[in-house]
Amino acid sequence: MSYSFQTHRQPSIVDDDYIYFETKLIKDLAQQKLNLRSVNSLTDALGANDCLVVNDKNSKCYRFHVQSSQGEPYMLYTYGINKKLINAENRKKLDLVDLDKFLLSYSELEKTEILPLGNASDGSYIGKDVAYQNKSNDSIFITGQSGKGKTFCASNLLPPLAMLGSRIAVFDVSKSFTRGELLRVLPAEVIDSLFEFVEIGMEEEKIPVNPLYIGDCSGLPARKRRIVSLIKAAAGKLNQCDAKILTGIISDMLKKDAKSPSISIEMLHSTLKSGGKTGAMVHDLISGLLNDIERIGCEDQGWSNLFDSSKKIVVFSLGDEVGDNVHALLDILISSVFEWQRDHNTAPLTLVVDEIKGQNFADGSPLHTIITQGRKFNTKLIGITQQYISQGNHAVDVMKEAGIKIFFEPARSQDRIATELGYKSGIDAGFGSMGRGEFILSCDCYSKVDAVNEHAVIRCQTIRFVDTPLYQKFKNMYCNMEP
C-alpha cells in the first residue's frame, strides 16, 4: 500500500476502518502507558481481538510514502488499529494528535510568559506568545451567538494580560463589565486588586483623564498630533485639505502657549471658531461633544498618571450603547490613550470594546488604526460582537484583521464560517454541538517544539483565570499566598 501525503510529520493516517499510527506512538503506548515489555505484546492482544490490520504479507507494519511540509519525502512506518476501539475519551486524544506541539501542560505553561487562550479537549492549554515588542497582531475578535460565553471569555483574558504586564482600559457600552457582572466570573480578590471602575457622568464622577492633557508629550510634534487626532476622532474623517488646515490651526495655537500642560475647552472653542471656514466647520461638528466633556468634567491628569497611580485595569462605563455622543466620547478616549501609547511605548496596551456595534471603524478612525497599525506600538484591541459575516457592518470587516479570532457558535452563516476555518461544513466544525464556553480558536498559537507562534485552528474550552499559573502569580503578588 502506498500513499503520498503533504504532511508536517503527521503521526497518523486515517481511512474508512483503520487509523494508522506511527510506530513510535505504538511503542510509547506499550512501554510507557501500559508497562508492556514490547510492542509485540500489544499488537498480539489487538490482533487476537480482531482490532489490528495485517497486510497480505502477514506483516503488522504498514509503510507509507509521505512528504514533510518542506516537500522532503520519507517513509512512515505505522500500525493499523481498528476504529471500533475508539471511545469518546480516545476520540478527544485523536482529535489532538496532530496538534501536540501546541498543547501545554500546567507545568509547561508555568515556565513561560504565554497568554493562555483556551483549554483543549484533554485539558491542556493553548496560548500565544504576546511578549512585549514582538510586533505581532495580537488583537482579539470574539464572535458568536448571544449567551454562549463571549463576555465570560473576554473577562477571563484580562487578568492574565495584566499579569503579563499589559496596561488595560475597558470601554463598557453595554454594562457587561460592571463590578457585579465581573463578580460572576472572577473572585472578589481579583476584582478588588486588579480593577478600577469609572462610571462617566454618573453621580458627578469626572472622566479620570483629561483628553486634552499634553503635559506628558515628548515635544511639539507629539502635542500637535495628539490634539489633531482627538479632533479628527470627534469630528469624523476630514478631507485632506481640511485636515492640513486644521493641523496648521492647532500648531499655531500650541506655539502661542508652548508650556501649558493641557488645552482648555474654552481655548479650543475660541481657536476653532476663529480658524476661518475650516475651523468653524470643525467647531460645529465637535462643539456639542466638547460641551458634554466640560459638563462631565475631567481630572487634570494624563494617562501616565492614571496607569502609574492605580496600576489597574480601568473600566470606563459609558452607559447603554445609545446615541452618537456615547460613541464620540469612546472614540476620543481611545484616540487619546493610543496617541499617548505612541509616545510612551514602554509596556503593552490592551483596549477592550464590549460591543462592536455602531462604533466608528472608518479608515483613519482610532479603532481602525489600532487594528491595522497597533502592533507597531504594542497595542491590541479586544472586540466582541455577535456578527462575523458582515451585513453592511464595516466594523466587522475591520475586526476580521485581528490576529486572534475566537468563534463561539455562530448565529448564522455557519457553513461559510466553517469553510473559512478549513472545515467542510458547519456540522464538520462542530458548530451544532457546541455547548456554552466552547469555541474554535484561529490564530498563531505557541509551539513548544519550535518555540515560536505558528498558525493553528483548534477547538477549545474557555480559559478560566483561576485555573492558570498566572492566578498563582497573582496570589503571590497581591495576596501573599505561597503556592
Side-chain angles (χ1 to χ4, degrees), residues 183-210:
L183 281 171
R184 295 154 58 97
V185 177
L186 297 165
E189 68 266 19
V190 174
I191 307 299
D192 294 338
S193 301
L194 294 184
F195 286 82
E196 177 179 341
F197 299 92
V198 180
E199 292 195 43
I200 294 179
M202 297 295 290
E203 299 181 358
E204 299 182 353
E205 187 164 8
K206 295 180 179 180
I207 301 172
V209 292
N210 182 356

CSV table of all heavy atoms in Angstrom, one decimal, residues 183-210:
chain,number,residue,atom,x,y,z
A,183,LEU,N,-18.0,39.9,39.1
A,183,LEU,CA,-18.0,39.0,40.3
A,183,LEU,C,-18.7,37.7,39.9
A,183,LEU,O,-18.5,36.7,40.7
A,183,LEU,CB,-18.8,39.7,41.4
A,183,LEU,CG,-18.0,40.7,42.2
A,183,LEU,CD1,-18.9,41.5,43.2
A,183,LEU,CD2,-16.8,40.1,42.9
A,184,ARG,N,-19.4,37.6,38.9
A,184,ARG,CA,-20.0,36.3,38.4
A,184,ARG,C,-18.9,35.5,37.7
A,184,ARG,O,-19.1,34.3,37.5
A,184,ARG,CB,-21.2,36.6,37.5
A,184,ARG,CG,-22.3,37.3,38.1
A,184,ARG,CD,-23.2,38.0,37.1
A,184,ARG,NE,-23.7,37.2,36.0
A,184,ARG,CZ,-24.9,36.7,36.0
A,184,ARG,NH1,-25.7,36.9,36.9
A,184,ARG,NH2,-25.3,35.9,34.9
A,185,VAL,N,-17.8,36.1,37.4
A,185,VAL,CA,-16.8,35.4,36.6
A,185,VAL,C,-15.5,35.2,37.3
A,185,VAL,O,-14.8,34.2,37.1
A,185,VAL,CB,-16.5,36.3,35.3
A,185,VAL,CG1,-15.4,35.7,34.4
A,185,VAL,CG2,-17.8,36.4,34.5
A,186,LEU,N,-15.1,36.2,38.1
A,186,LEU,CA,-13.8,36.2,38.8
A,186,LEU,C,-13.9,36.4,40.3
A,186,LEU,O,-14.9,37.0,40.8
A,186,LEU,CB,-13.0,37.4,38.2
A,186,LEU,CG,-12.6,37.4,36.7
A,186,LEU,CD1,-12.2,38.8,36.3
A,186,LEU,CD2,-11.6,36.3,36.4
A,187,PRO,N,-13.0,35.9,41.0
A,187,PRO,CA,-13.0,36.0,42.5
A,187,PRO,C,-12.9,37.5,42.9
A,187,PRO,O,-12.4,38.3,42.3
A,187,PRO,CB,-11.8,35.3,43.0
A,187,PRO,CG,-11.4,34.4,41.8
A,187,PRO,CD,-11.8,35.1,40.6
A,188,ALA,N,-13.5,37.8,44.1
A,188,ALA,CA,-13.6,39.1,44.6
A,188,ALA,C,-12.2,39.7,44.8
A,188,ALA,O,-12.0,40.9,44.5
A,188,ALA,CB,-14.4,39.2,45.9
A,189,GLU,N,-11.2,38.9,45.2
A,189,GLU,CA,-9.9,39.4,45.4
A,189,GLU,C,-9.2,39.9,44.1
A,189,GLU,O,-8.4,40.8,44.1
A,189,GLU,CB,-9.0,38.4,46.2
A,189,GLU,CG,-8.6,37.2,45.4
A,189,GLU,CD,-9.6,36.0,45.6
A,189,GLU,OE1,-10.7,36.3,46.1
A,189,GLU,OE2,-9.1,34.9,45.3
A,190,VAL,N,-9.6,39.2,43.0
A,190,VAL,CA,-9.1,39.7,41.7
A,190,VAL,C,-9.7,41.0,41.3
A,190,VAL,O,-9.0,41.9,40.9
A,190,VAL,CB,-9.4,38.6,40.7
A,190,VAL,CG1,-8.9,39.1,39.3
A,190,VAL,CG2,-8.6,37.3,41.0
A,191,ILE,N,-11.0,41.1,41.5
A,191,ILE,CA,-11.7,42.4,41.2
A,191,ILE,C,-11.1,43.5,42.0
A,191,ILE,O,-10.8,44.6,41.5
A,191,ILE,CB,-13.2,42.2,41.4
A,191,ILE,CG1,-13.8,41.0,40.7
A,191,ILE,CG2,-13.9,43.5,41.0
A,191,ILE,CD1,-13.7,41.0,39.2
A,192,ASP,N,-11.0,43.3,43.3
A,192,ASP,CA,-10.6,44.3,44.2
A,192,ASP,C,-9.1,44.8,43.9
A,192,ASP,O,-8.8,45.9,44.1
A,192,ASP,CB,-10.7,43.9,45.7
A,192,ASP,CG,-12.1,43.7,46.1
A,192,ASP,OD1,-13.0,44.3,45.5
A,192,ASP,OD2,-12.3,42.9,47.1
A,193,SER,N,-8.3,43.8,43.5
A,193,SER,CA,-6.9,44.1,43.3
A,193,SER,C,-6.5,44.6,42.0
A,193,SER,O,-5.6,45.5,41.8
A,193,SER,CB,-6.0,42.8,43.6
A,193,SER,OG,-6.2,42.4,44.9
A,194,LEU,N,-7.3,44.2,40.9
A,194,LEU,CA,-6.9,44.5,39.6
A,194,LEU,C,-7.8,45.4,38.8
A,194,LEU,O,-7.4,45.9,37.8
A,194,LEU,CB,-6.8,43.2,38.8
A,194,LEU,CG,-5.7,42.2,39.2
A,194,LEU,CD1,-5.7,41.0,38.2
A,194,LEU,CD2,-4.3,42.8,39.2
A,195,PHE,N,-9.0,45.7,39.3
A,195,PHE,CA,-9.9,46.5,38.6
A,195,PHE,C,-10.2,47.9,39.2
A,195,PHE,O,-10.3,47.9,40.5
A,195,PHE,CB,-11.2,45.8,38.3
A,195,PHE,CG,-11.1,44.7,37.3
A,195,PHE,CD1,-10.6,43.4,37.7
A,195,PHE,CD2,-11.5,44.9,36.0
A,195,PHE,CE1,-10.5,42.4,36.8
A,195,PHE,CE2,-11.4,43.8,35.1
A,195,PHE,CZ,-10.9,42.6,35.4
A,196,GLU,N,-10.4,48.9,38.4
A,196,GLU,CA,-10.9,50.2,38.9
A,196,GLU,C,-12.1,50.6,38.0
A,196,GLU,O,-12.0,50.5,36.8
A,196,GLU,CB,-9.8,51.2,38.8
A,196,GLU,CG,-10.3,52.6,39.2
A,196,GLU,CD,-9.2,53.7,39.2
A,196,GLU,OE1,-8.0,53.2,39.2
A,196,GLU,OE2,-9.5,54.9,39.1
A,197,PHE,N,-13.2,51.0,38.6
A,197,PHE,CA,-14.4,51.2,37.8
A,197,PHE,C,-14.8,52.7,37.8
A,197,PHE,O,-14.8,53.4,38.9
A,197,PHE,CB,-15.6,50.5,38.4
A,197,PHE,CG,-15.4,49.0,38.4
A,197,PHE,CD1,-14.8,48.3,39.4
A,197,PHE,CD2,-15.8,48.2,37.3
A,197,PHE,CE1,-14.6,46.9,39.4
A,197,PHE,CE2,-15.6,46.9,37.2
A,197,PHE,CZ,-15.0,46.2,38.3
A,198,VAL,N,-15.0,53.3,36.6
A,198,VAL,CA,-15.3,54.7,36.5
A,198,VAL,C,-16.6,54.8,35.7
A,198,VAL,O,-16.7,54.4,34.5
A,198,VAL,CB,-14.2,55.4,35.7
A,198,VAL,CG1,-14.6,56.9,35.5
A,198,VAL,CG2,-12.9,55.2,36.4
A,199,GLU,N,-17.7,55.3,36.4
A,199,GLU,CA,-19.0,55.5,35.7
A,199,GLU,C,-19.0,56.9,35.2
A,199,GLU,O,-19.4,57.8,36.0
A,199,GLU,CB,-20.1,55.1,36.6
A,199,GLU,CG,-20.2,53.7,37.0
A,199,GLU,CD,-21.5,53.3,37.6
A,199,GLU,OE1,-22.6,53.8,37.1
A,199,GLU,OE2,-21.5,52.5,38.6
A,200,ILE,N,-18.7,57.2,34.0
A,200,ILE,CA,-18.6,58.5,33.5
A,200,ILE,C,-20.0,59.2,33.5
A,200,ILE,O,-20.9,58.7,32.9
A,200,ILE,CB,-18.0,58.5,32.1
A,200,ILE,CG1,-16.5,58.0,32.2
A,200,ILE,CG2,-18.0,59.9,31.4
A,200,ILE,CD1,-15.8,57.9,30.8
A,201,GLY,N,-20.0,60.4,34.1
A,201,GLY,CA,-21.2,61.2,34.1
A,201,GLY,C,-22.2,60.8,35.1
A,201,GLY,O,-23.3,61.4,35.3
A,202,MET,N,-21.9,59.7,35.9
A,202,MET,CA,-22.8,59.3,37.0
A,202,MET,C,-22.4,59.8,38.3
A,202,MET,O,-21.2,59.8,38.7
A,202,MET,CB,-22.9,57.8,37.0
A,202,MET,CG,-23.4,57.1,35.8
A,202,MET,SD,-25.1,57.5,35.4
A,202,MET,CE,-25.9,56.5,36.8
A,203,GLU,N,-23.3,60.4,39.1
A,203,GLU,CA,-23.0,60.9,40.4
A,203,GLU,C,-21.8,61.9,40.4
A,203,GLU,O,-21.0,61.8,41.3
A,203,GLU,CB,-22.8,59.8,41.4
A,203,GLU,CG,-24.0,58.9,41.5
A,203,GLU,CD,-23.8,57.7,42.5
A,203,GLU,OE1,-22.7,57.7,43.1
A,203,GLU,OE2,-24.7,57.0,42.8
A,204,GLU,N,-21.8,62.7,39.4
A,204,GLU,CA,-20.8,63.7,39.3
A,204,GLU,C,-19.3,63.2,39.3
A,204,GLU,O,-18.4,63.8,39.6
A,204,GLU,CB,-20.9,64.7,40.5
A,204,GLU,CG,-22.2,65.5,40.5
A,204,GLU,CD,-22.3,66.5,41.6
A,204,GLU,OE1,-21.4,66.5,42.5
A,204,GLU,OE2,-23.3,67.2,41.6
A,205,GLU,N,-19.2,61.9,38.8
A,205,GLU,CA,-17.9,61.3,38.7
A,205,GLU,C,-17.2,61.8,37.4
A,205,GLU,O,-17.8,61.7,36.3
A,205,GLU,CB,-18.0,59.8,38.6
A,205,GLU,CG,-16.6,59.1,38.7
A,205,GLU,CD,-16.7,57.7,39.0
A,205,GLU,OE1,-17.8,57.1,39.1
A,205,GLU,OE2,-15.6,57.1,39.2
A,206,LYS,N,-16.1,62.4,37.5
A,206,LYS,CA,-15.4,63.0,36.4
A,206,LYS,C,-14.7,61.9,35.5
A,206,LYS,O,-14.4,60.8,36.0
A,206,LYS,CB,-14.3,64.0,36.9
A,206,LYS,CG,-14.9,65.2,37.6
A,206,LYS,CD,-13.7,66.1,38.0
A,206,LYS,CE,-14.2,67.4,38.7
A,206,LYS,NZ,-13.1,68.3,39.1
A,207,ILE,N,-14.4,62.3,34.3
A,207,ILE,CA,-13.5,61.5,33.5
A,207,ILE,C,-12.1,61.5,34.1
A,207,ILE,O,-11.6,62.6,34.4
A,207,ILE,CB,-13.4,62.0,32.0
A,207,ILE,CG1,-14.8,62.1,31.4
A,207,ILE,CG2,-12.5,61.1,31.2
A,207,ILE,CD1,-14.9,62.8,30.1
A,208,PRO,N,-11.5,60.3,34.4
A,208,PRO,CA,-10.3,60.3,35.2
A,208,PRO,C,-9.1,60.8,34.5
A,208,PRO,O,-8.0,61.0,35.1
A,208,PRO,CB,-10.1,58.8,35.5
A,208,PRO,CG,-10.8,58.1,34.4
A,208,PRO,CD,-12.0,59.0,34.1
A,209,VAL,N,-9.2,61.1,33.2
A,209,VAL,CA,-8.1,61.7,32.4
A,209,VAL,C,-8.6,62.8,31.6
A,209,VAL,O,-9.8,62.9,31.2
A,209,VAL,CB,-7.4,60.7,31.5
A,209,VAL,CG1,-6.6,59.6,32.2
A,209,VAL,CG2,-8.4,60.1,30.5
A,210,ASN,N,-7.8,63.8,31.4
A,210,ASN,CA,-8.2,64.9,30.5
A,210,ASN,C,-7.7,64.6,29.1
A,210,ASN,O,-6.5,64.6,28.8
A,210,ASN,CB,-7.5,66.2,31.0
A,210,ASN,CG,-7.9,67.4,30.2
A,210,ASN,OD1,-8.6,67.3,29.2
A,210,ASN,ND2,-7.4,68.6,30.6
